[in-house]
Amino acid sequence: MGKILVLLTGEFPYGKSEAFLESELNYLNVFDKIYLCPLFASGIANQKVRYDKNKTNIKVLPSRKPLSVLDKLHGVLISVCNKNFWKEVIKVFLKSTKKLSSLRYLISFSWTGNCVARYTIRLIRDLIDDYDEIVLYSYWLHQQAYVAAYLKGKLPKVLKAVSRCHRFDVYEYLNYEYIPYRDYLLKRLDDIYCISEDSMRYLNIKYPKYSQKYKIARLGTKSYKLHKYKPNPDLLRVVSCSNCVPVKRIDLIIKTLTIFEDNEISVEWIHYGDGVLFEKLKNEAADNLKKYVHFEFKGYVSNHTILDDYSRNDFDVFVNVSSSEGIPVSIMEAMSFGIPTIATDVGGTSELVKNGINGLLLHADFLVTDLYNAINSIREMPSSEYLNLRIQARSMWEEKFSAKNNYNMFAEQLLE
């Protein structure tokens, strides 16, 4: 007899997404058994898993097969026979500014969620009979949370069902001004763990009647041994880390570094991460950064490799210019090594980066010259002032974004 955790993810421990769970999982071993449920990992189950296989209390449930046409039709039929679906349809027509897009979103969300939920309940029902208490933990306030709400009503001995929420699963203006089943999920789930104050503030404004369920549970990163920083007065060393997708606006970093190229200022730039724009951005950089700005697109590398690189290299500044964020773990990682950050003031970024204290904040709609001036101000900053930025970056990380502190606290909250 004991307590088990059913962790509902998108693809983790397969694929490349949900990298933050690799660290968090190490602190969830307070449960007697952990079942990892990758709900949308169909077709990739032969890939290498991303967790310590020596942890005998972790079991990865088989990923489902791709949905057949019959599965999809069944999911649609279940949806249209559910009164909550029709409540959502009415909500779309009364409140959504993009009715057709929202309706398509609702239908896709519903049939997929119902198909996955029915598969998952069949998969795990027989595995948990010997345990006293079950905690259902959805990593996203989205279809994973929909499945958690479904399981809560079907499984015996469920202690509670909770969900984290991040960015796309919180801010409705990123999703046709609408995310399906908000009221249904917020009512059914016991606790909603927001990764930032900004996301909790947003939910409080949009859905105040569930405010007693909203809690802060910050993400965190592991501590690495720090080496003594060695400045190079003849070279500015810039690093960035994100997927190569439109929302990250890496093209604006290239445009900014082109000004350094034109002004014959020596810069070294390394970018970690791949994505749909990887080759395009790499070619754009090659066309514009030829002599004074040396760059390297590392592509996808493991989180461990990135942190190991940070521990061995002297980067002067980390740059993140996303148009939208939850709260960037990439910035937490940089700060843990004392690297000051220049970032856009979006989402919960200002909870990490304090302007003029441990980095610099830019307006979300900044000009390229604004980013140039910010980076150049780091380059020209008196050494004592710059070193204070590094000290404060590390201090902020120690105070609020240590994985050990945050995830231990979160694990205890799940057990309560």
Side-chain angles (χ1 to χ4, degrees), residues 7 25 50 94-95 119 146 212 249 266 290 312 333 360 410:
L7 175 50
L25 194 60
R50 292 177 290 137
L94 289 179
K95 296 184 179 181
Y119 170 81
Y146 185 84
Q212 76 281 0
R249 302 193 294 191
S266 295
K290 297 181 179 297
R312 293 184 292 103
E333 292 171 340
L360 299 173
F410 180 61

Side-chain angles (χ1 to χ4, degrees), residues 91 95 170 172 177-179 181-183 186 201-212 214:
K91 182 179 178 181
K95 296 184 179 181
V170 179
E172 294 180 32
E177 302 291 341
Y178 168 72
I179 301 178
Y181 297 105
R182 292 286 88 175
D183 278 295
L186 295 174
R201 184 163 50 246
Y202 180 89
L203 288 177
N204 270 312
I205 293 171
K206 293 283 289 187
Y207 302 97
K209 66 180 178 180
Y210 305 109
S211 59
Q212 76 281 0
Y214 307 145

Side-chain angles (χ1 to χ4, degrees), residues 379-414:
R379 185 179 75 88
E380 296 180 339
M381 193 173 286
S383 60
S384 59
E385 188 176 337
Y386 173 75
L387 289 175
N388 188 58
L389 283 184
R390 296 187 70 92
I391 292 169
Q392 293 302 321
R394 173 70 182 189
S395 295
M396 172 64 82
W397 175 85
E398 289 175 343
E399 180 184 346
K400 289 189 175 182
F401 302 104
S402 160
K404 182 178 180 180
N405 295 339
N406 292 355
Y407 292 146
N408 274 330
M409 188 184 307
F410 180 61
E412 291 302 320
Q413 287 179 305
L414 290 181

Side-chain angles (χ1 to χ4, degrees), residues 26-82:
N26 294 324
Y27 298 92
L28 296 177
N29 58 9
V30 292
F31 288 87
D32 298 292
K33 193 79 174 179
I34 299 172
Y35 289 110
L36 293 179
C37 301
L39 301 182
F40 304 104
S42 59
I44 63 172
N46 292 326
Q47 291 188 13
K48 181 181 178 181
V49 295
R50 292 177 290 137
Y51 71 92
D52 185 357
K53 289 186 177 180
N54 293 321
K55 293 184 182 296
T56 56
N57 67 326
I58 297 175
K59 178 177 177 61
V60 182
L61 298 186
S63 60
R64 60 175 175 79
K65 295 178 181 178
L67 294 175
S68 67
V69 174
L70 189 61
D71 290 329
K72 295 175 183 178
L73 289 174
H74 191 202
V76 171
L77 180 61
I78 295 171
S79 298
V80 299
C81 293
N82 188 324

Side-chain angles (χ1 to χ4, degrees), residues 265-304:
I265 298 172
S266 295
V267 177
E268 180 183 83
W269 173 42
I270 293 178
H271 179 80
Y272 296 92
D274 64 1
V276 293
L277 297 178
F278 181 79
E279 291 299 330
K280 180 181 178 181
L281 291 168
K282 193 174 177 181
N283 291 335
E284 184 178 343
D287 290 340
N288 291 280
L289 309 176
K290 297 181 179 297
K291 184 176 180 181
Y292 293 95
V293 178
H294 300 277
F295 69 92
E296 182 177 2
F297 278 72
K298 293 279 191 177
Y300 172 77
V301 295
S302 69
N303 185 248
H304 174 78

Side-chain angles (χ1 to χ4, degrees), residues 86-356:
W86 294 106
K87 287 180 181 179
E88 290 296 305
V89 171
I90 293 170
K91 182 179 178 181
V92 166
F93 280 100
L94 289 179
K95 296 184 179 181
S96 176
T97 58
K98 300 178 180 178
K99 292 179 174 51
L100 185 57
S101 297
S102 295
L103 188 60
R104 288 173 177 164
Y105 187 16
L106 170 63
I107 294 170
S108 174
F109 188 107
S110 297
W111 65 254
T112 306
N114 285 319
C115 288
V116 171
R118 287 170 63 82
Y119 170 81
T120 305
I121 190 70
R122 291 196 301 266
L123 198 62
I124 70 175
R125 182 181 277 143
D126 296 333
L127 297 175
I128 57 180
D129 289 343
D130 295 333
Y131 290 87
D132 278 334
E133 296 175 324
I134 303 160
V135 174
L136 301 170
Y137 167 27
S138 167
Y139 197 63
W140 307 94
L141 190 61
H142 205 250
Q143 286 176 313
Q144 295 85 348
Y146 185 84
V147 174
Y150 179 91
L151 296 178
K152 182 182 178 183
K154 299 292 184 180
L155 292 173
K157 306 175 185 176
V158 171
L159 183 64
K160 60 183 175 182
V162 306
S163 179
R164 275 196 186 274
C165 61
H166 302 251
R167 184 185 71 92
F168 85 94
D169 54 342
V170 179
Y171 303 110
E172 294 180 32
Y173 55 79
L174 300 175
N175 298 274
Y176 316 114
E177 302 291 341
Y178 168 72
I179 301 178
Y181 297 105
R182 292 286 88 175
D183 278 295
Y184 171 76
L185 292 180
L186 295 174
K187 182 179 179 180
R188 297 275 295 176
L189 297 172
D190 296 287
D191 293 308
I192 310 298
Y193 291 99
C194 307
I195 67 167
S196 69
E197 293 171 13
D198 186 76
S199 59
M200 187 166 76
R201 184 163 50 246
Y202 180 89
L203 288 177
N204 270 312
I205 293 171
K206 293 283 289 187
Y207 302 97
K209 66 180 178 180
Y210 305 109
S211 59
Q212 76 281 0
K213 297 186 178 185
Y214 307 145
K215 301 177 181 179
I216 294 290
R218 298 185 187 280
L219 301 178
T221 60
K222 293 189 293 184
S223 178
Y224 272 62
K225 183 178 180 181
L226 298 178
H227 70 284
K228 186 175 181 180
Y229 168 74
K230 299 185 181 79
N232 184 339
D234 299 319
L235 180 67
L236 178 68
R237 295 157 297 190
V238 179
V239 64
S240 54
C241 178
S242 70
N243 290 328
C244 297
V245 293
V247 70
K248 298 302 181 180
R249 302 193 294 191
I250 301 165
D251 59 309
L252 297 183
I253 300 178
I254 297 172
K255 289 180 173 65
T256 300
L257 294 179
T258 300
I259 303 177
F260 283 91
E261 177 77 26
D262 294 340
N263 290 338
E264 301 183 358
I265 298 172
S266 295
V267 177
E268 180 183 83
W269 173 42
I270 293 178
H271 179 80
Y272 296 92
D274 64 1
V276 293
L277 297 178
F278 181 79
E279 291 299 330
K280 180 181 178 181
L281 291 168
K282 193 174 177 181
N283 291 335
E284 184 178 343
D287 290 340
N288 291 280
L289 309 176
K290 297 181 179 297
K291 184 176 180 181
Y292 293 95
V293 178
H294 300 277
F295 69 92
E296 182 177 2
F297 278 72
K298 293 279 191 177
Y300 172 77
V301 295
S302 69
N303 185 248
H304 174 78
T305 300
I306 294 172
L307 298 180
D308 187 57
D309 283 357
Y310 287 177
S311 71
R312 293 184 292 103
N313 291 285
D314 294 303
F315 294 113
D316 300 306
V317 62
F318 182 91
V319 178
N320 180 307
V321 292
S322 298
S323 60
S324 174
E325 283 286 0
I327 187 166
V329 173
S330 60
I331 295 180
M332 296 178 201
E333 292 171 340
M335 287 172 55
S336 72
F337 292 92
I339 305 172
T341 295
I342 297 172
T344 40
D345 188 3
V346 294
T349 301
S350 62
E351 298 166 39
L352 275 163
V353 182
K354 302 300 179 183
N355 196 38

